[in-house]
Amino acid sequence: MSIVGMEADVPAGEVVVVIDVIRAFTTAAVAFERGVAEIACAPSVEAGRDLRRLHPDRLLVGETNGLQPADFDFGNSPAELSTVRLDGRRLIQATSNGTRGLARCPDPRALLAVSARNVGATARWIGRNHADVPRTLICTGRTAEDWACARYLDALLDGASPGRADLIEGIMDGAAEHARAYDRMPVSERVDLSRDLGFCRDVDRSAFAMVGEVRDNHVVLTRVEC
C-alpha cells in the first residue's frame, strides 16, 4: 500500500484510489445520491467543454480555482447539487485536482474515486474484488483532508476500525487551511466552503463505490452499491 501525492508515479496494474474530499468527489457522491447515471471526469476545464460539445445533453459541473466557470451548469458544490433533481442525468465534471488526478492513471487494475462520504463502501468494494492486488492511494490536494481520508481508508483495508473523529478532525484542519489561503486572495477570488463542509465531513453517508473506467480522454465514474 502506498499513499502518495499528485506528482508521484503510479505503477500500472494496481488498484488506484484517487481522493478529493474538498470537494470534487464529495460533489460526485452527492450527484450519484441524487440519481445521476454516470459522471464523465475530464482532466481540465477545456476538456470538459470539449466533452460538452460532443454531448450537449449532459450537465457540466466543476470549477477553476474553486469558482464555477460562467458557462458551467453548476459549480463544484455538494450543497448546490443536493437540491437538484438529477434522476437519470449524465454529468461532465472538471475540477482542478480530483478529476485531473483520475486522468493520471492510464492503466490501473481498478480505478476508484473516494471522499469521506463513501470511504467505507470503497474499502468494501476493494476487499471483495481486489483484496490481494497492490494499491496506491493518491491524495490530490496538499491540505490535510485528503491525507486523513487516505489514512482512514488504509486502516479499513488493513482490517482495522479507525475512529471517525480523527478523519473529521483532518477534514476540518484541511478546511481551515483552505480558508487561510482564500483569505489572502482578492474578495472576488475567494471561495466560501461553509455550505459544503457538512457534506464533506459526513463520513459513510453514501453506501456505494465510485468505480472508474478509463476512456481515451477522460474517466467515466459509475455508482456500484457496496
Side-chain angles (χ1 to χ4, degrees):
M1 171 80 73
S2 300
I3 299 175
V4 301
M6 272 279 263
E7 305 311 318
D9 292 330
V10 180
E14 294 196 350
V15 172
V16 179
V17 183
V18 182
I19 303 166
D20 191 320
V21 176
I22 303 176
R23 296 168 289 171
F25 297 144
T26 301
T27 300
V30 169
F32 281 123
E33 291 168 19
R34 300 296 295 170
V36 162
E38 67 177 35
I39 303 174
C41 294
S44 68
V45 166
E46 283 306 320
R49 291 183 176 119
D50 289 342
L51 281 171
R52 172 64 168 269
R53 282 188 281 271
L54 290 173
H55 305 284
D57 60 318
R58 300 187 184 185
L59 297 171
L60 186 53
V61 175
E63 51 78 23
T64 181
N65 297 322
L67 298 172
Q68 177 183 338
D71 58 336
F72 277 39
D73 297 295
F74 299 101
N76 186 38
S77 169
E80 184 180 13
L81 290 190
S82 72
T83 63
V84 180
R85 184 170 181 174
L86 296 169
D87 292 337
R89 297 300 301 267
R90 286 173 166 76
L91 266 58
I92 299 164
Q93 187 181 28
T95 69
S96 301
N97 291 319
T99 64
R100 186 165 64 91
L102 285 173
R104 294 194 60 255
C105 311
D107 192 24
R109 178 75 171 272
L111 180 61
L112 300 104
V114 70
S115 66
R117 203 168 177 89
N118 75 324
V119 64
T122 302
R124 291 192 295 274
W125 188 93
I126 294 170
R128 292 172 186 174
N129 293 280
H130 298 289
D132 298 323
V133 178
R135 300 182 288 265
T136 295
L137 312 183
I138 300 177
C139 299
T140 61
R142 293 184 173 89
T143 42
E145 71 279 3
D146 290 349
W147 299 86
C149 189
R151 291 190 296 271
Y152 187 90
L153 177 57
D154 186 24
L156 289 176
L157 291 168
D158 282 344
S161 299
R164 291 188 180 186
D166 290 339
L167 173 53
I168 293 169
E169 181 180 0
I171 294 167
M172 297 310 295
D173 287 345
E177 291 179 69
H178 284 287
R180 288 192 292 271
Y182 287 131
D183 282 345
R184 294 192 291 269
M185 296 180 178
V187 172
S188 63
E189 297 177 14
R190 295 178 187 174
V191 178
D192 182 3
L193 298 175
S194 58
R195 292 179 61 239
D196 293 322
L197 284 179
F199 295 87
C200 295
R201 64 174 179 249
D202 196 357
V203 179
D204 286 338
R205 170 65 63 176
S206 305
F208 51 81
M210 297 187 292
V211 181
E213 179 186 343
V214 178
R215 303 282 176 87
D216 288 341
N217 58 351
H218 62 283
V219 171
V220 173
L221 295 179
T222 53
R223 166 180 173 158
V224 179
E225 301 297 327
C226 201

